[in-house]
Amino acid sequence: MPRREPEKSVTVQDVARQAGVSAATVSRTISTPEVVSEQTRDLVLEAIRHTGYRVNQAARNLRRKRSGAVLVLVPNLGNPFFSQILASLNATFSNGGYSVLISDSNVQEAPGRQVVDYLLDGRVDGVVCLDGSLTNDDLEQFHLNGLENRIVFACEWLEDAPYPSVRSNNRKGAIMAVEHLYEFGHRKIAHVTGPRGNVLTAARREGMLHARRKLDLPLRDEWIIRGDFSVQSGWKSGDDILRMKERPTAVFCASDMVALGLIARLNAAGLSVPQDMSVVGFDDIELAAFSLPSLTTIRQDRSALGEQAAGQLLKRLENDGELSAACEIKTIDVTLISRDSCSTPVANST
């Protein structure tokens, strides 16, 4: 059997001959297409398609002193909330020529140290941080090593820190949730919060309290229940509510996972949602539409969160880490999604 000759690699010179331009023009078209004419770009791109030429990304990154990768720091990969954000980040970075590394800060002893090491070692060019629980020591290390210009926060953020961020309008979403329950006739409305010290917890709690004041709703201390965004804390909050002498008729939960855990606990106790108690969540994860009952919730545009965060970081990397928009904050609007977990209270108390 005759030995098969290895296929010859297509070179820049092959593309140049096909397009009728110089090899330098091909290189410029690939690396900085904006500096060549549209006609030349079309000729070179057609020649690339015809010859099957593939850019040697590793060599290109070496010339540019780049790794061609970004790190995404996630506080809990097991939380389905992050799925759409990660998909959008990956798609946007891929289109920009970057690969994506993902790290779960929930299992890292020192996630801030990991960020510093990855950037200083040249393993990544930038970081999108979805975790707002980094410490002051972490921030000091970012500053001392001059890394502020390569870090963008998304979803969560750090208060009073000089980093760009993309976030949902959490306060507005909480107001919408309470007002929705009010419109159904609910006056006894409980709230299950997120974890203590979390910026999302604070923003949603503040919005909930603002709506209460605006609508002159009663508030009992026991109706504010500490959670942590998990389904387990939703189940536990159900235990707390079942023990109350004066139960609320509705509950606004700081996340969908909490709301789903709460509904499961109420169902296990023989109560019906929404007949015995209405429930509203926050996030609109995929499970929300398929739970029984389907969950009324505040939808975050998670695809937009990922796309805009990636866009901010790409802009910085293209400008070689310029700090011109270091403190830029983008706020993405939220939407109330009305489903089957809310109804008029059986005994409305005004």
Side-chain angles (χ1 to χ4, degrees), residues 73-87:
L73 197 63
V74 186
N76 181 4
L77 272 173
N79 189 334
F81 168 76
F82 295 109
S83 59
Q84 283 187 10
I85 297 178
L86 291 173

Side-chain angles (χ1 to χ4, degrees), residues 18-163:
Q18 179 69 32
V21 298
S22 69
T25 298
V26 174
S27 296
R28 280 197 298 273
T29 303
I30 293 171
S31 60
T32 53
E34 67 276 4
V35 303
V36 300
S37 69
E38 183 177 354
Q39 181 180 10
T40 299
R41 282 201 305 270
D42 290 342
L43 285 171
V44 172
L45 292 175
E46 178 58 32
I48 288 173
R49 284 191 289 269
H50 184 268
T51 60
Y53 175 73
R54 297 184 65 180
V55 177
N56 187 330
Q57 196 66 46
R60 186 182 177 196
N61 288 332
L62 185 62
R63 287 194 301 272
R64 298 167 67 200
K65 297 182 179 179
R66 296 282 181 85
S67 69
V70 295
L71 176 69
V72 180
L73 197 63
V74 186
N76 181 4
L77 272 173
N79 189 334
F81 168 76
F82 295 109
S83 59
Q84 283 187 10
I85 297 178
L86 291 173
S88 182
L89 284 167
N90 186 66
T92 308
F93 280 124
S94 293
N95 290 337
Y98 285 85
S99 57
V100 175
L101 306 179
I102 298 173
S103 178
D104 189 340
S105 59
N106 199 37
V107 298
Q108 293 286 338
E109 291 186 8
R113 183 69 253 174
Q114 182 191 37
V115 168
V116 172
D117 289 344
Y118 270 58
L119 287 169
L120 293 183
D121 292 347
R123 282 179 279 180
V124 298
D125 299 317
V127 177
V128 174
C129 186
L130 304 179
D131 187 348
S133 63
L134 297 181
T135 67
N136 289 331
D137 287 342
D138 294 328
L139 300 184
E140 181 67 14
Q141 286 301 311
F142 297 164
H143 174 70
L144 290 175
N145 289 283
L147 302 176
E148 298 102 324
N149 53 349
R150 299 193 180 277
I151 300 172
V152 171
F153 280 81
C155 184
E156 297 188 18
W157 63 94
L158 298 174
E159 294 286 6
D160 303 320
Y163 297 95

Side-chain angles (χ1 to χ4, degrees), residues 242-253:
L242 291 170
R243 287 193 294 266
M244 293 179 186
K245 291 182 179 179
E246 185 177 359
R247 292 178 185 169
T249 62
V251 185
F252 163 47
C253 298

